[in-house]
Amino acid sequence: MRILARVVSPAGFVLALLFFLLPFVAVSCDAPQGAGSIEASYTGYDLALGAGPTVTTSGELSQGDEPFRPDELPRPDVRVPATIVLVLITAGLAASLAPALRSRPLVIAGGATVSALVLLGTELLARSNLKASVQELAGPSTRIGGETLAVTDEVAGRLVESRGGFWLTLGALVLVALWSLGLAVRGTARK
């Protein structure tokens, strides 16, 4: 049990850092009349580095070399909070590896909880910014596949989705927090 207690928290933080490689948030749209679809997805590291999205297209939208210029793509604008999340997760990993930290499980649980809360706030901010960016880029209406579509707040909101990388990172952090809190409670009960 002692080895398990020393391995679970660092492994959870490492997984959270690895999950940052997966898509966190995306904007996707299917064009009417079977004209195809387009998706711009951002990994956690894209968000932290301010990098552009990975763009995938299908159907008529995939014709040509580059269907959209970078200034035509929605922007999440969450570089600072996403970087803070990475720093918090890395600090949690360091704390989980520190052998001399007296109240280690409680510190790790607190670090994982704060990381999860800042991650959640960052995701909500990214989704909000992407929704506003979609509306700004499209204007009040846009023409796709021969049809004019009104880009209302509701429509823009449906185009923006959280992806697996976000949910897996959040899940890893919540599990680390719960595991560490359980160890802290168990350690306090033994005294």
Side-chain angles (χ1 to χ4, degrees), residues 6-28:
R6 302 272 312 159
V7 171
V8 170
S9 294
F13 283 117
V14 168
L15 282 174
L17 290 171
L18 288 174
F19 292 148
F20 252 71
L21 292 167
L22 300 173
F24 262 51
V25 65
V27 177
S28 60

Side-chain angles (χ1 to χ4, degrees), residues 105-168:
L106 204 51
V107 169
I108 294 167
T113 301
V114 169
S115 297
L117 291 172
V118 175
L119 174 68
L120 183 60
T122 301
E123 181 74 3
L124 293 173
L125 181 60
R127 287 180 58 129
S128 175
N129 289 349
L130 283 170
K131 185 173 93 170
S133 186
V134 164
Q135 287 182 288
E136 178 186 321
L137 290 169
S141 65
T142 190
R143 194 160 179 78
I144 299 176
E147 285 188 37
T148 301
L149 302 173
V151 184
T152 63
D153 194 50
E154 180 184 342
V155 169
R158 282 185 285 167
L159 300 176
V160 180
E161 303 170 332
S162 295
R163 293 300 166 108
F166 163 72
W167 294 111
L168 290 169

